[in-house]
Amino acid sequence: MNRFGILFFMAALGGAVLSACQTAPATQPRPQPVAGFVTDVKAFDAFIATRPTPEQFRAAYPDVLLVTPDMMTTREIRMNNSRYFPEIDAEGRIKGGKFM
């Protein structure tokens, strides 16, 4: 009788482990691309706070020029939030930056 109890316990434990492994973690919904330049600065700052990759930035804000350190650019000042100079961390994620 003791063997059946141990076998039942092991089967139940194994089933719980398998169901936990098969449960996919909740993923964040992909933000809809924002057309045009940045006008909602609060929403933009909230997006930057998620520490996006440059690819995620370009997908979310396709009309904003992301000037990464490997790009050459002129230094004229744009007042319409159309060009963003990011600060990139060691993992390659955007941690801040400024419009110029």
Side-chain angles (χ1 to χ4, degrees):
M1 189 75 153
N2 194 12
R3 279 189 200 162
F4 291 116
I6 292 173
L7 288 176
F8 177 75
F9 175 73
M10 294 302 285
L13 184 62
V17 168
L18 284 177
S19 68
C21 290
Q22 293 176 355
T23 304
T27 58
Q28 293 180 342
R30 285 185 96 157
Q32 293 294 323
V34 177
F37 307 134
V38 176
T39 56
D40 186 354
V41 178
K42 284 186 180 184
F44 181 80
D45 289 340
F47 173 72
I48 294 298
T50 65
R51 297 186 42 184
T53 63
E55 292 77 24
Q56 291 169 330
F57 182 96
R58 289 182 183 108
Y61 290 91
D63 296 332
V64 176
L65 177 62
L66 182 68
V67 182
T68 55
D70 61 337
M71 296 174 65
M72 287 184 82
T73 183
T74 58
R75 296 290 291 187
E76 82 268 6
I77 295 177
R78 296 184 186 182
M79 302 303 278
N80 61 357
N81 294 344
S82 63
R83 188 169 63 166
Y84 190 70
F85 290 80
E87 294 175 19
I88 298 179
D89 64 10
E91 297 174 357
R93 295 185 167 277
I94 299 170
K95 62 179 181 179
K98 57 187 172 183
F99 288 103
M100 290 188 1

